[in-house]
Amino acid sequence: MKYEYVKADRGLERKERPFDPLSKPSGPGDQESGPKRPDTDSPSRDNLMKRMRKVDPKQAEKYRQRTGE
Amino acid sequence: MNPIRLFGIETEYGIAREDIEAPDPVVESMELVRAYLDGSFTRRWDYRGEHPHEDQRGFRVAELAQDKEEDLYAEQDAHRPFSFHEMKSDLVLPNGARFYNDHTHPEYSTPECRSLKDLIAHDRAGERILWVAAQRRNHALGGPMIQLYKNNTDFHGHSYGCHDNYLVERALNFETLARGLMPFLVSRQLIAGAGKVGREAQERGFAPGGFQLSQRADFMEVELGVDTMHNRPILNTRDEPHANRERYRRLHLIVGDANMCEYATALKIGTTRVVLDMITGGALPPCELNSPVQAIQALSCDPELSTLVKQESGGMISGLDIQREYLNMARKFFIEIDEETTWILQEWEQVLDLLERDRWQLVGKIDWVTKWWLLETFRQAEHIGWDDPWLASLDLEYHNLDPERGLFFGLEAEGRTTRVCLEQEIDEAIKHGPLDTRGGLRGLCVQRFGRDITSVQWEGVHFRSQNGALHLDLLDHLEPVSVAQCRSVIEHAQTPFDMMESMTAD
């Protein structure tokens, strides 16, 4: 079944049955797959890498929001 | 039919306070907005004009999926020492934009714009205004405690939106509109996705690993629907035109990501406007998808862009080919073509070609490609896997509004992003609204008669005067000629009463 019908106050509503919502995406999830490494020997590399290394590895883990629209 | 072109973007920002373990999101969002106003909160948003339960399909729903949660929050908020209006902290700015606390997220809604260039300048003006507010708030707190993020997820299953809005003729049947748009919206993420590490499920958590095109695709649950916080639809059916209801609809799209790249924002809004023009002109969609929700998630999860999705006809089609079909349709549809449409079609074609043969040329233009490039560079340098939590943190920091911390801004500072508007155009957009839309008129009212304004809505402005309450109706000021006439009256009036007298005399 691809669709399920859910009862709503405005009658039946077609709702698609989602596939596993927490399955990993394909592509670069596999470390060896994906397009070739981009050219990183640009003048910006060092500055950007420094900026990226300063990011707290747990920043996303600590970041919490309420659901919005 | 020659449709009026008017569009705008509403962005809910993520807000973090780094010196407290469990900050109160209502207070933080409220205080951030309040930090932007030097005076008192005397101007109010007139909520009587908002009708989120009205559905474009011709009915009104008794309740939204989020109503119960909203009621619960309202009950909690009732115990706070703030009134409803203090918590919302609605600001209407001299550029015609709205800046307020929406669902614990600081939200910036651009004024209505008629050109892509104006819209990009106003979207970026919003970033600058929020950053100024954060700096003021941080000054009051004594350090850089507040950080703002122009993104759509907290990596724990909570999403917040960046909505794009378009004025559409009511004469266009909604079912025709939905049918014509659906495959385009499902595949629009190829040019407008902001990119995301891992996968999420609505309020049920985060699975690290991998990279996908879109921040919002995980949160799309139905094709059509009036809800916006739960049970989110690819095509939102809220019928809240903020214009003459007999003549117009407002297409309110909640499917999109917040973009950092100016070029991606321009292409997202531009291509959507082109597709709307075609549908309004009677064009039929080039294909129909068998399962749009599965398709939007499947396409998002494949940055290689090789995934095929099923059509109603039974055949399979890639996201790139869906986009190409719409582009080909546009090439044939437009006979007399204006400068903006020429730019959109040319860039659209170039992006689709580069996505197929050399996507790294799109670094600095398309967000998901740019983010992927940054993360892949870092991942290889640090010898970490895609499931390392550091990558989700870098994903978040890509969207940080702090020019010293944000990864996108680091790239921009080095001149590696494609700009669509000039810095002076952004500076101008912070101060003034577009000259040719009612958004500019709203801003002009705030500039000239701000102290006399009692409340504002998208469709009008209420004033107090010695002669009693006055109302400037902006409902029908949609055409440039009408806007110019109204602007002239506001510019030459000494008081709101003068202004209304002149309007009546005209």
Side-chain angles (χ1 to χ4, degrees), chain A residues 2-3 9-10 13-17 19-26 28-29 31 34-40 42 44-45 47-49 51-53 55-61 63-69, chain B residues 12 14-15 18 62 73 105 149 154 156 158-160 163 199 203 208 210 216 223 228-229 232 238 290-294 301 303-304 360 372-373 377 379-382 385-386 390 393 397 403 406 411 414 416:
Chain A
K2 194 169 44 155
Y3 295 108
D9 59 341
R10 56 268 199 188
E13 202 174 66
R14 192 170 80 151
K15 181 178 179 180
E16 286 183 38
R17 181 167 53 87
F19 55 93
D20 179 6
L22 294 181
S23 66
K24 288 183 183 177
S26 57
Q31 290 193 28
K36 286 179 189 166
R37 179 180 177 175
D39 172 21
T40 54
S42 66
S44 66
R45 186 188 175 198
N47 287 336
L48 277 168
M49 287 300 283
R51 197 178 272 230
M52 286 195 275
R53 285 197 180 100
V55 173
D56 175 0
K58 296 200 165 185
Q59 180 83 1
E61 197 182 311
Y63 181 66
R64 294 285 177 128
Q65 300 290 297
R66 273 197 200 166
T67 290
E69 290 202 278
Chain B
E12 293 175 350
I15 180 168
E18 296 185 335
Y73 285 137
H105 296 275
Y149 298 92
D154 73 347
H156 294 283
H158 303 103
S159 185
Y160 35 97
H163 304 170
R199 289 212 68 185
E203 295 180 357
R216 289 281 271 185
E223 289 171 44
T228 53
M229 294 176 75
R232 289 192 185 90
R238 181 187 293 182
N290 180 259
S291 175
V293 175
Q294 285 197 15
C301 287
E304 299 300 335
W360 302 123
W372 191 4
W373 174 75
T377 302
R379 194 184 70 75
Q380 293 198 25
E382 296 296 318
W386 274 99
W390 208 349
S393 297
E397 285 297 300
L411 205 59
E414 299 196 351
R416 301 206 52 166

Side-chain angles (χ1 to χ4, degrees), chain B residues 355-473:
Chain B
L355 281 175
E356 184 158 50
R357 62 182 174 78
D358 189 6
R359 70 187 52 168
W360 302 123
Q361 283 196 45
L362 295 170
V363 169
K365 284 183 160 185
I366 300 298
D367 281 299
W368 71 266
V369 176
T370 308
K371 189 184 283 180
W372 191 4
W373 174 75
L374 282 170
L375 298 187
E376 177 63 4
T377 302
F378 187 82
R379 194 184 70 75
Q380 293 198 25
E382 296 296 318
H383 307 290
I384 56 176
W386 274 99
D387 56 357
D388 192 298
W390 208 349
L391 292 183
S393 297
L394 289 165
D395 182 337
L396 180 63
E397 285 297 300
Y398 177 85
H399 300 269
N400 194 325
L401 285 196
D402 184 341
E404 302 297 319
R405 279 179 53 169
L407 300 185
F408 176 81
F409 288 153
L411 205 59
E412 187 172 71
E414 299 196 351
R416 301 206 52 166
T417 62
T418 298
R419 302 297 302 267
V420 174
C421 63
L422 304 170
E423 279 298 314
Q424 53 263 44
E425 289 168 335
I426 300 173
D427 291 342
E428 182 63 17
I430 291 171
K431 292 181 254 175
H432 302 286
L435 287 172
D436 56 358
T437 74
R438 69 179 188 189
L441 300 179
R442 185 182 312 112
L444 193 56
C445 287
V446 172
Q447 290 170 39
R448 300 230 49 219
F449 310 122
R451 289 183 178 185
D452 302 312
I453 292 174
T454 52
S455 70
V456 185
Q457 231 289 341
W458 296 111
E459 304 100 312
V461 183
H462 290 270
F463 301 90
R464 69 170 73 83
S465 83
Q466 290 179 335
N467 309 80
L470 301 169
H471 178 234
L472 173 62
D473 189 348

